[in-house]
């Protein structure tokens, strides 16, 4: 006879009970050997040398095969999905909170741990509520009385494992199941046992146990196993704790989920079918796909672990499930789906966010307004006309203008150009408003973390932008020292944007003169000489030096008097077109300089953040595009 150790709830030491030959044995004990008790180990050590030659070589050591086997699923899309998820987490660490990436990091860690372990084994946990009969089902599948059953609750106090083949030690170590709670099934050698080769069955404590530690163990193991058999009974199959705490959150794991209605022997007539149909309805409301008509999904069936009705069907389904050897891949893929579903709100945007041409042009318009590009162009045009008037105007009119300018310091032109009250915004306010507007346009529709990153990039890039625009305006105004000309305004460009720059948008030099200006000057000189000649002629006749004859000197003098303004008017008309073009060119240059400054400081960092978001969005799509659960 052999002895089997069972651990009672809350007990650290095991108790032994007699067991008939051929029943379940400890995973670490060879067939026909002793239990793992202290006396048994001493007896085994004392008789090891004498029994070594008599023990068959096949049973001297159960663990002749490797304990760890690389897990390499062939042709599975899981590996590229995990790589994409790993890249996604790496690219997002600087933008997302650690709590947002915690679940994805856990999935990557668990996937790496599972892939390092045996791919020949499938770990299936049996979970259920108190009194559902999961331990009875566990014993029925193992063909031996391994897990303790009874009326006392809770009966199962710690996870108990049963492995049909060797080499599962690494998987059980990952589940933190100690060696004294590892068993082997009844060695029957039947076809059913052959189909279950590679199965590691774990009996869990009650998920609704009054002991908090039991529930913690259930949650811990359920996060690590490859598949789960949920055992429900006719009384608790609709328990809200089961559906809201487990089945509904794990709806995406339908392909690795079995839901078993136990204790149908207690239901009369067609009641079992009615309860089973209602169970399917509840699972559908939980969002769990049902594997019916060849569709992938959860397996739902009814049985009686006590009488054995339906156990054979479950054993056959488990056999095909284990031999398929895809449970671990399906479980990890469902975990990736769940992690991607949690990350969806921080990666999926509404619409197509980005910086369009319209937003860029509006930003350039606001910067041009802040730097005073339009006013600079207008001043440049007036400066051209002023120079034309100085070169082609009559001497008498020029003297009069000079006299007026001495009486009104600052000049007539400066005093006549006053900004309306609504244009008195400072440059810093204009720039801040422009930056906020373009940041809001770029962040529109982005998930919260990425929208915040875009706004922060815009605000950080805008630091020093008003001063840079002020320097541009200073150079455009032709000043040698920008600060002395801009005064004490917040950035100087606000006042200049509302008033005329002193020198009209030129870079410290007078506007170029067209080729016809010297001829106009000579014509004006000639008209002035005619006026002087006619005046002297008349004076000579008056004083008697010249012979009398008023008609000729009067005509000469009138020709000069009328010809001077006519030449000046003609030059002003001819200068209107070049002056306008010169002002437009000055405005364009200042506008482009301001737009280039804003692009380098604000638009480029914002575009870089948008490119980063599109990159992580592509990684997120790569994580979800091969989903097998449709989530």
């Amino acid at each position: 006879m052999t002895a089997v150790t069972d651990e009672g709830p809350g007990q650290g030491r095991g108790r032994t009970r007699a067991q008939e030959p051929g029943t379940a044995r400890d995973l670490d004990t060879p067939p026909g050997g002793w239990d793992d008790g202290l006396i048994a180990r001493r007896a085994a050590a004392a008789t090891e040398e004498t029994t070594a030659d008599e023990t068959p070589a096949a049973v001297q050591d159960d663990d002749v095969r490797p304990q760890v086997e690389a897990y390499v699923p062939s042709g599975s899309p899981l590996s590229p999905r995990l790589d994409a998820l790993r890249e996604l987490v790496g690219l997002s660490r600087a933008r997302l909170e650690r709590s947002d990436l915690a679940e994805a990091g856990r999935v990557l860690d668990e996937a790496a741990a599972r892939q390092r372990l045996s791919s020949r084994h499938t770990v299936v946990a049996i979970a259920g509520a108190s009194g559902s009969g999961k331990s009875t089902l566990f014993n029925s599948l193992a063909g031996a009385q391994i897990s303790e059953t009874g009326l006392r609750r809770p009966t199962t106090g710690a996870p108990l494992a049963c492995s049909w083949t060797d080499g599962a030690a690494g998987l059980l170590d990952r589940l933190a199941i100690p060696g004294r709670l590892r068993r082997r099934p009844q060695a029957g050698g039947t076809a059913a046992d052959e189909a279950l080769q590679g199965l590691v069955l774990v009996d869990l404590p009650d998920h609704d146990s009054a002991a908090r530690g039991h529930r913690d163990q259930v949650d811990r193991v359920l996060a690590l196993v490859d598949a789960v058999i949920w055992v429900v009974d006719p009384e608790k199959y609709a328990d809200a704790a089961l559906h809201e705490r487990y089945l509904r959150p794990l709806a995406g794991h339908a392909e690795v989920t079995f839901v078993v209605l136990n204790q149908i022997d207690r239901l009369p007539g067609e009641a079992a079918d009615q309860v089973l149909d209602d169970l399917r309805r509840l699972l559908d409301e939980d969002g769990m796909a049902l594997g019916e008509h060849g569709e992938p999904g959860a397996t739902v069936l009814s049985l009686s672990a006590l009488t054995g009705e339906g156990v054979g069907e479950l054993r056959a389904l488990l056999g095909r499930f284990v031999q398929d050897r895809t449970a671990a891949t399906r479980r990890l893929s469902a975990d990736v789906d769940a992690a991607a579903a949690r990350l969806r709100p921080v990666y999926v945007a509404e619409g197509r966010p980005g910086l369009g041409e319209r937003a860029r042009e509006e930003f350039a318009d606001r910067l041009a307004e802040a730097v005073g590009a339009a006013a600079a162009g207008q001043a440049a045009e007036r400066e051209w006309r002023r120079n034309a008037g100085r070169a082609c105007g009559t001497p008498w009119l020029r003297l009069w203008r000079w006299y007026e300018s001495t009486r009104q310091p600052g000049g007539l032109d400066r005093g006549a150009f006053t900004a309306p009250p609504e244009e008195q915004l400072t440059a810093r306010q204009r720039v801040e408003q422009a930056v906020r507007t373009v940041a809001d346009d770029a962040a529109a529709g982005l998930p919260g973390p990425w929208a915040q990153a875009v706004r922060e990039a815009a605000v950080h890039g805008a630091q020093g932008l008003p001063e840079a625009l002020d320097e541009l305006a200073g150079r455009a105004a032709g000043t040698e020292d920008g600060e002395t000309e801009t005064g004490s305004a917040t950035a100087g460009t606000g006042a200049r944007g509302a008033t005329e720059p002193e020198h009209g948008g030129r870079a410290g030099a007078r506007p170029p003169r067209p080729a016809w200006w010297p001829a106009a000057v000579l014509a004006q000189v000639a008209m002035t000489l005619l006026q002087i000649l006619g005046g002297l002629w008349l004076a000579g006749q008056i004083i008697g030096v010249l012979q009398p004859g008023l008609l000729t000197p009067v005509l000469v003098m009138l020709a000069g008097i009328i010809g001077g303004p006519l030449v000046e008017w003609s030059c002003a008309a001819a200068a209107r077109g070049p002056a306008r073009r010169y002002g437009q060119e000055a405005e364009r240059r200042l506008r482009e300089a301001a737009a280039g400054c804003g692009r380098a400081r604000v638009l480029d960092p914002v575009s870089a953040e948008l490119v980063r978001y599109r990159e992580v969005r592509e990684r997120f799509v790569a994580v979800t595009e091969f989903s097998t659960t449709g989530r």
Side-chain angles (χ1 to χ4, degrees), residues 48 87 123 151 170 196-197 223 266 345 368 380 388 395 541 543 549:
E48 182 178 0
E87 294 177 6
V123 184
L151 298 177
L196 295 180
Q197 297 298 305
R266 297 169 50 190
Q541 289 180 354
I543 63 176

Side-chain angles (χ1 to χ4, degrees), residues 138-465:
F138 180 84
N139 293 333
S140 180
L141 291 173
Q145 190 71 18
I146 298 178
S147 182
E148 182 181 357
T149 61
L151 298 177
R152 180 172 57 87
R153 298 287 179 264
T155 304
T156 304
L160 181 68
C162 179
S163 177
W164 267 254
T165 53
D166 304 324
L171 292 171
L172 296 177
D173 290 341
R174 180 169 174 255
L175 299 179
I177 299 178
R180 56 188 173 81
L181 296 179
R182 303 179 186 182
R183 303 288 185 268
R184 295 296 296 272
Q186 179 179 2
T190 63
D193 292 333
E194 290 296 329
L196 295 180
Q197 297 298 305
L199 174 63
V200 179
L201 202 60
V202 180
D203 185 20
L204 296 179
D206 303 333
H207 70 78
D208 60 350
S209 173
R212 177 60 182 271
H214 292 180
R215 287 177 289 168
D216 293 341
Q217 291 188 69
V218 172
D219 295 342
R220 177 182 60 81
V221 176
L222 286 180
L224 302 176
V225 296
D226 300 328
V228 183
I229 300 176
W230 289 100
V231 182
V232 298
D233 60 80
E235 295 179 355
K236 295 184 178 180
Y237 74 93
D239 186 15
L242 170 64
H243 289 269
E244 294 178 4
R245 182 177 173 86
Y246 295 103
L247 294 179
R248 191 168 301 163
L250 294 176
H253 295 69
E255 294 186 19
V256 291
T257 300
F258 294 79
V259 182
V260 174
L261 176 63
N262 193 17
Q263 304 177 8
I264 60 172
D265 57 299
R266 297 169 50 190
L267 299 174
E270 298 179 353
D273 293 336
Q274 295 176 359
V275 174
L276 191 63
D277 290 340
D278 195 47
L279 175 59
R280 290 193 176 98
R281 178 186 64 82
L282 293 175
L283 293 175
D284 184 67
E285 292 179 356
D286 291 334
M288 182 172 291
L290 302 182
E292 299 176 344
H293 311 294
E295 296 292 332
T299 301
V300 184
L301 70 159
S302 59
L303 54 81
S304 174
L306 185 62
T307 64
E309 180 183 358
V311 175
E313 180 183 359
L314 176 61
R315 186 188 293 270
L317 290 173
L318 276 178
R320 291 194 294 270
F321 184 76
V322 171
Q323 295 306 316
D324 193 30
R325 292 188 180 181
T326 60
T329 302
R330 295 180 185 180
R331 170 58 197 262
L332 293 177
S333 182
D335 287 343
V336 173
D337 289 339
R342 291 189 178 185
L343 291 174
R344 182 179 180 84
V346 297
Y347 287 114
V348 178
E350 301 176 0
R352 298 178 62 86
L355 275 177
E357 287 299 323
R358 181 176 180 180
R360 294 175 180 271
E361 291 177 359
E362 290 179 353
F363 181 65
D365 290 340
R366 292 187 178 93
L367 292 185
E369 182 182 359
V371 81
Q378 294 171 5
E381 181 178 352
R382 282 191 298 273
E383 182 71 7
W384 180 286
R385 292 183 179 180
R386 185 183 298 115
N387 289 338
R390 291 170 182 171
C392 305
T394 63
W396 326 116
L397 183 59
R398 292 168 62 182
L399 288 174
W400 174 256
R401 289 174 179 172
W402 173 80
Y403 173 72
E404 288 292 333
S405 65
T406 58
R407 294 181 58 186
Q408 298 180 3
L412 294 174
D413 292 335
R414 291 192 195 178
F417 204 89
T418 305
E422 61 272 13
E423 296 291 337
Q424 296 299 325
L425 292 174
T426 64
R428 188 172 299 276
Q429 290 173 327
R430 293 174 184 272
V431 172
E432 289 176 355
Q433 182 181 5
V435 171
R436 283 195 303 268
T437 302
V438 75
D440 291 340
D441 290 342
L446 283 175
W450 301 100
Q452 181 65 23
V454 166
R455 292 189 179 94
E456 290 178 354
V459 172
H460 180 73
Q463 295 178 358
L465 180 58

